[in-house]
Structures are given as C-alpha cells and as structure tokens.
Amino acid sequence: MDRALRLAADAAAADEIPVGAVVLDPAGRILAEGRNNREETADPTGHAEIVALRAAAAAQGSWNLTGCTLVVTMEPCVMCAGAILQSRIGRVVFGAWDDKAGAAGSLYDVLRDRRLPYRAEVVGGVREDEAVAQLRAFFAERR
C-alpha cells in the first residue's frame, strides 16, 4: 500500500484524481504499477487499476494473472471490477471505500458476486485514513 499511496500522490501532482495501484505476483513482489492518467491520456479507461493490470499482463506475457494481488488506494469501480475478474486476479486490497461508485462491497459487490464465474477475495479499508486524506485534499483544492 505504501507504493500505491505514492503513486496516488503522483497522480494528484499531475492533476489526476489521486488513485494508485500495484499488482503483486504470487510471492508478494511488485509485478506492475499504475496511477490514474485519464486526463493526461484522454482515455476514459485510464484508471489506476486498468493501467496496472495492463502493465502486469505485459510483464508476465499473459492476460491471466491468477495468483496475483491488486493493491489500490480506492475501491474499484464497476469497469475496474470487470477488468479485475477478467484478469483472474484472486485478491484485491484497497484503502478508501467509494460509496458513489464502488464495486467491491459498498455500492455494488461485483468482485464477490456468486452469479459470476470468477470471484476475488476483497480486503477493504487498508490504510483508509491516508487514502481518504489524499482524495479530500485533492477535491478541496478544486472546489
């Protein structure tokens, strides 16, 4: 989570919503990382999770990330939850809950939906105070 929080700070410095993500390999080593870059790239899919998943798949040479863990500073949205399931990530650890668009237990629970063929273990609220503080500071400057 340390690295994800630093990536979120980098995103904020680039005028992006401060969300950072890392993909850990089965041994717990950082395989790939990403941060929000939607404004920079004009890409609506430029969420930290998507950026990190793409980088992890490229690093591994496969879309199948079975055994890997995604660590992200904010609860994934529906788009990111879908990508997480498609990549077969087995575990998602996140910081801040997202009551407006979260898809890992707050608004929706896509990652653990038993109707879907794949599910992920979810651990939410890890270092939540720090992740929330980054988000609040970012939006306070813009209001």
Side-chain angles (χ1 to χ4, degrees):
M1 188 60 82
D2 281 335
R3 182 65 186 146
L5 287 164
R6 284 194 299 275
L7 289 163
D10 292 347
D15 235 13
E16 300 278 354
I17 295 174
V19 179
V22 295
V23 176
L24 305 176
D25 71 12
R29 295 179 300 257
I30 293 178
L31 176 62
E33 59 187 37
R35 64 168 179 79
N36 276 5
N37 67 7
R38 194 166 57 169
E39 300 299 327
E40 292 172 56
T41 61
D43 178 357
T45 68
H47 290 198
E49 300 95 324
I50 302 293
V51 174
L53 290 172
R54 286 178 177 156
Q60 201 163 272
S62 172
W63 61 267
N64 190 327
L65 301 175
T66 298
C68 293
T69 297
L70 175 71
V71 179
V72 61
T73 59
M74 186 174 184
E75 180 182 3
C77 69
V78 172
M79 175 185 69
C80 293
I84 290 163
L85 294 178
Q86 289 299 315
S87 72
R88 309 298 194 264
I89 287 277
R91 185 172 189 234
V92 176
V93 177
F94 68 86
W97 293 90
D98 183 358
D99 294 334
K100 294 179 182 172
S106 61
L107 186 59
Y108 303 104
D109 200 357
V110 173
L111 293 177
R112 296 180 287 199
D113 192 323
R114 295 209 171 273
R115 296 170 294 181
L116 298 173
Y118 303 100
R119 285 170 291 289
E121 175 188 354
V122 175
V123 179
V126 174
R127 296 180 65 182
E128 181 176 11
D129 292 344
E130 293 167 81
V132 168
Q134 283 184 324
L135 290 160
R136 283 191 179 143
F138 177 81
F139 287 112
E141 289 178 15
R142 279 145 189 85
R143 291 190 180 132

